[in-house]
Amino acid sequence: MTVQELDLAGITDSGLRADYIASSQLFRKIGRGRFLGRYMMHPAKRPYFDTFFSFVCYIDDLADDINLSVDVRARRLDEWQRTYMAIAQGEDLKSDHPLSVSEQTDAALARALVHTLRTWDLPYLRVPEFVDGHRKALTTYEYADQEELDDFLETVTLLPAIWINQIFEPLSEDAEQLCRHTITAFQLLDFIWDLREDLDLGRLYLPLDHLARFGLTRADLDRQIGSGYISDSLRELIQFEIDIAREHMNAGRSWPQTLHPTARIFMETDIQTHDSMFPEMIKDDYAFFKSPRRGLDFVSGRMIPRTAKAIARARKANQQATRAGYRIRPPYRGTEA
């Protein structure tokens, strides 16, 4: 993050600027290819973009760190939530020892996130709902039906999606519903793409009643995915799940057109990236599931040229918006000195 980006956002308090910089550095470290998405945003919006996505990635990583036990991961989620709520409620952080690196990271991200959410008039006191969704998922290893999976999606996937929709400055009342469809499609695609990885972690995000519909059990998936052999029943299940994701994607495909131009190209590129997953999973008779591989993102080999073009297009769109008088909303001042 640059000084110019913070200046353009109107963030002047030195301590808060340091928190935003720390959050951006964290995003660069853990955000993988998504970090390049910041360069599709207007420079004045990048501090908020970095902080929000850093928050989502950070909580995801705390929950998914296979090097830590479930109990330790739950404790870390609790620690971050306590830090966040103390800051959100204006309390001083109390400690009888110098803060560890992880405690410093927790606090900096929490301060920047509170400021981001309050700047955009978002329900900052609902953040624990998102954390709690991840906490519940630590000990949920499968979902009986779509209703159970929808509960997970609502808190872990769609709650932050609706917030980022506001930061993207929607121009239409339809934007939120389109956002819900698009982000649901993204998540369902990830569930299908990551089947082998999730099974290895002891998790399954395809509802069990979907498996039963095709005469399959969880053990069948565990045995076949990555084995080099895919049964006809498994092909039918995979296509069924892909079709559901495609329905959501098609229903939400116009979401970028309902957003301010300073956010539009990022979402168009993200949709294109996820669209490319559909043919990859079904080509050569579903060969992908015989030997699954890493997911696609903005820095995947075939996506790099598209990402570079999107950044160039976004730069022009953002410059045009500036010339037309675009100004980011004034930052929340309640947490500044």
Side-chain angles (χ1 to χ4, degrees):
M1 186 176 298
T2 67
V3 169
Q4 182 191 31
E5 290 168 355
L6 291 165
D7 289 344
L8 289 171
I11 300 168
T12 58
D13 178 75
S14 60
L16 193 54
R17 286 164 75 95
D19 293 330
Y20 271 102
I21 290 171
S23 297
S24 181
Q25 291 171 340
L26 178 63
F27 183 36
R28 178 188 289 274
K29 179 180 178 181
I30 67 176
R32 295 167 286 279
R34 187 163 294 274
F35 182 78
L36 289 181
R38 76 184 308 275
Y39 298 108
M40 300 177 204
M41 294 287 123
H42 192 282
K45 193 173 288 184
R46 290 174 191 168
Y48 304 118
F49 180 89
D50 288 5
T51 294
F52 191 84
F53 277 98
S54 179
F55 153 64
V56 172
C57 293
Y58 190 58
I59 298 302
D60 283 349
D61 285 357
L62 287 181
D64 292 340
D65 189 346
I66 61 174
N67 296 313
L68 301 176
S69 69
V70 168
D71 289 343
V72 171
R73 281 180 270 170
R75 190 189 74 224
R76 284 291 292 121
L77 290 172
D78 290 343
E79 290 170 350
W80 189 86
Q81 181 174 316
R82 282 196 298 271
T83 297
Y84 176 84
M85 288 306 296
I87 291 169
Q89 294 169 344
E91 300 172 5
D92 292 331
L93 293 179
K94 298 177 181 179
S95 177
D96 55 4
H97 61 274
L99 295 182
S100 66
V101 172
S102 64
E103 289 170 330
Q104 292 177 43
T105 299
D106 288 357
L109 177 57
R111 285 190 293 264
L113 181 64
V114 169
H115 186 263
T116 291
L117 297 181
R118 300 205 72 168
T119 293
W120 293 93
D121 295 326
L122 291 167
Y124 64 100
L125 294 179
R126 292 189 64 188
V127 165
E129 295 178 33
F130 174 71
V131 180
D132 189 53
H134 277 284
R135 188 183 296 107
K136 290 178 180 176
L138 290 176
T139 53
T140 302
Y141 304 105
E142 60 189 22
Y143 298 85
D145 50 35
Q146 189 66 50
E147 184 177 356
E148 284 191 6
L149 183 62
D150 285 345
D151 288 341
F152 170 86
L153 292 172
E154 197 64 39
T155 53
V156 171
T157 304
L158 295 177
L159 186 61
I162 291 168
W163 295 344
I164 198 63
N165 178 64
Q166 288 304 114
I167 296 174
F168 286 168
E169 298 178 280
L171 304 176
S172 166
E173 293 181 356
D174 296 332
E176 182 173 319
Q177 187 60 31
L178 294 169
C179 164
R180 292 176 66 91
H181 277 299
T182 301
I183 301 304
T184 296
F186 288 3
Q187 185 66 85
L188 295 180
L189 280 170
D190 287 345
F191 287 160
I192 305 166
W193 188 282
D194 294 336
L195 258 175
R196 181 69 268 167
E197 179 181 344
D198 289 334
L199 285 167
D200 288 343
L201 294 173
R203 297 176 181 173
L204 176 63
Y205 291 101
L206 306 188
L208 295 179
D209 64 347
H210 289 193
L211 275 63
R213 180 175 184 154
F214 297 95
L216 294 165
T217 66
R218 178 170 177 164
D220 293 327
L221 267 63
D222 204 13
R223 184 169 56 252
Q224 292 186 45
I225 299 293
S227 70
Y229 167 76
I230 300 293
S231 67
D232 289 342
S233 295
L234 183 51
R235 287 184 180 87
E236 292 172 1
L237 170 65
I238 291 169
Q239 189 60 58
F240 176 74
E241 300 295 341
I242 287 174
D243 288 344
I244 294 173
R246 195 190 303 274
E247 287 177 10
H248 281 288
M249 186 75 88
N250 290 337
R253 192 169 296 280
S254 61
W255 180 31
Q257 282 64 57
T258 68
L259 303 176
H260 193 276
T262 55
R264 193 171 294 162
I265 293 173
F266 169 78
M267 278 316 310
E268 289 174 347
T269 306
D270 214 3
I271 288 173
Q272 290 169 359
T273 301
H274 283 82
D275 266 337
S276 66
M277 297 170 71
F278 288 113
E280 282 295 310
M281 289 191 288
I282 65 175
K283 74 178 184 180
D284 298 330
D285 197 24
Y286 304 88
F288 171 85
F289 297 93
K290 298 177 182 178
S291 182
R293 54 190 177 277
R294 182 177 177 271
L296 297 175
D297 58 30
F298 288 168
V299 295
S300 298
R302 72 189 60 189
M303 293 303 301
I304 290 176
R306 185 179 295 175
T307 300
K309 290 178 181 179
I311 291 172
R313 287 175 52 225
R315 183 182 300 113
K316 292 180 180 179
N318 291 327
Q319 290 171 346
Q320 183 177 0
T322 298
R323 288 194 296 269
Y326 173 74
R327 294 292 182 273
I328 199 79
R329 68 165 56 192
Y332 175 71
R333 297 293 179 185
T335 57
E336 291 196 13

